[in-house]
Amino acid sequence: MSLKITDDCINCDVCEPECPNGAISQGEEIYVIDPNLCTQCVGHYDEPQCQQVCPVDCIPLDENNVESRDELMQKYLRITGKA
């Protein structure tokens, strides 16, 4: 599953630089996560880095983008050109 940023986001700017895949960007009102780039940091880290640094805990799993760990790894390999 990719992650998503909820309306509780306070635009603190700490999540965007932590994303190794460049999946997080500034949206119209709050930061957003591109589900096509989010791998929950699989391939890079053991835990999603954006969740670790978020001061308001507004980055849950995105139930609309369900993926297994294997699928996330395949996405990581595709994104990084290691496939």
Side-chain angles (χ1 to χ4, degrees), residues 5-61:
I5 297 176
T6 67
D7 290 340
D8 294 331
C9 176
I10 58 172
N11 288 314
C12 66
D13 302 320
V14 297
C15 61
E16 183 180 21
E18 295 299 320
C19 181
N21 295 327
I24 300 174
S25 62
Q26 179 65 49
E28 287 187 31
E29 296 182 25
I30 60 172
Y31 279 88
V32 294
I33 297 178
D34 181 344
N36 296 314
L37 295 176
C38 179
T39 63
Q40 293 184 46
C41 291
V42 168
H44 295 282
Y45 302 104
D46 292 332
E47 298 178 336
Q49 298 302 288
C50 60
Q51 286 181 330
Q52 299 302 309
V53 299
C54 181
V56 292
D57 195 27
C58 69
I59 309 175
L61 293 172

